[in-house]
Amino acid sequence: PLGNSVTDTLRELSGADIAMLNTGGLRQAIPAGPVTYEDLFAVLPFSNKGILIGPMPVRRLMELLVRSVRTCGAYSALMQSGIIATFERNCDRSVNGIDPNARLLSVKTVSDRVIYDLERGGLQLPESATFQVATLDFLAAGGSGYDEFRGIALIRDLGIFREILADEFFARPTQFTRVLDGRWRQVGSSAAFKIRTDPK
């Protein structure tokens, strides 16, 4: 839920079609009660910048999502805002923390534009389709092994991610909840796994 909230805020502030962050970037939960800047700093202790990049080809987006659903703890998965993805993964069959047989089943935007549907033949948009994506400079440089971000042009530097979140949350107080909204929907069984944190 916290990942959902911060990626939604990044997408809103940047005007991006999609926002993506790495799960390893969130280092602590937010305690119950009023949230202070110190609480936010504990969650996001690094000075990574929020950036807007694009245009990202739809194939590159799909490669990022596929890499994300394959992890069973070998590296951070992606948190995303702006799309709803259904996938199949079974971490009981993982090799070195990766399920090589994991697959995306469907991907659509929050406005119900279908990007990918395995049962209907795969990609549902033309190869020329592109998106503007908000993310961190850490990921844009290939952090967590997400090399698919590399080479996508910088549109705008938004500033230190933690600071722009703090400004937004103080200007417009946010109610954090424990509710999940199904933006990642897993089909099939999977062993529980622990996400390894990234070095930054």
Side-chain angles (χ1 to χ4, degrees), residues 1-199:
L2 178 58
N4 290 350
S5 183
V6 295
T7 50
D8 285 347
T9 303
L10 177 59
R11 181 166 65 96
E12 180 181 343
L13 292 175
S14 66
D17 302 307
I18 298 165
M20 289 181 161
L21 301 173
N22 53 309
T23 53
L26 298 184
R27 291 310 178 105
Q28 272 189 214
I30 287 182
V35 178
T36 67
Y37 179 82
E38 287 74 18
D39 294 326
L40 188 60
F41 191 95
V43 173
L44 296 163
F46 308 113
S47 294
N48 295 316
K49 291 184 176 181
I51 60 174
L52 180 64
I53 60 175
M56 177 180 285
V58 65
R59 284 286 182 188
R60 194 81 69 92
L61 172 65
M62 297 304 301
E63 290 167 1
L64 287 165
L65 296 175
V66 168
R67 175 172 169 77
S68 181
V69 301
R70 285 180 175 163
T71 186
C72 289
Y75 51 86
S76 291
L78 293 174
M79 302 174 284
Q80 44 77 16
S81 173
I83 52 178
I84 298 166
T86 303
F87 67 98
E88 181 180 73
R89 179 184 63 210
N90 188 339
C91 288
D92 288 330
R93 65 190 179 194
S94 66
V95 178
N96 298 320
I98 298 170
D99 177 6
N101 298 310
R103 58 184 185 163
L104 282 171
L105 303 178
S106 66
V107 180
K108 65 179 181 178
T109 68
V110 289
S111 60
D112 278 335
R113 183 186 184 196
V114 178
I115 299 173
Y116 179 88
D117 189 323
L118 183 62
E119 290 188 351
R120 292 164 57 187
L123 193 64
Q124 300 295 299
L125 296 181
E127 293 281 352
S128 59
T130 61
F131 298 89
Q132 290 192 353
V133 178
T135 188
L136 301 178
D137 55 353
F138 169 70
L139 283 174
S144 289
Y146 286 98
D147 291 331
E148 297 83 1
F149 278 109
R150 291 180 183 269
I152 305 297
L154 174 68
I155 297 173
R156 189 163 75 254
D157 183 335
L158 305 169
I160 302 299
F161 182 50
R162 177 186 60 251
E163 303 306 314
I164 62 175
L165 281 180
D167 289 345
E168 177 66 11
F169 292 155
F170 285 133
R172 295 195 299 167
T174 299
Q175 181 73 42
F176 295 103
T177 73
R178 296 176 183 265
V179 177
L180 290 170
D181 59 12
R183 63 186 68 188
W184 278 115
R185 297 174 180 170
Q186 182 171 348
V187 175
S189 63
S190 176
F193 67 90
K194 182 177 179 181
I195 296 172
R196 182 182 65 79
T197 57
D198 294 311

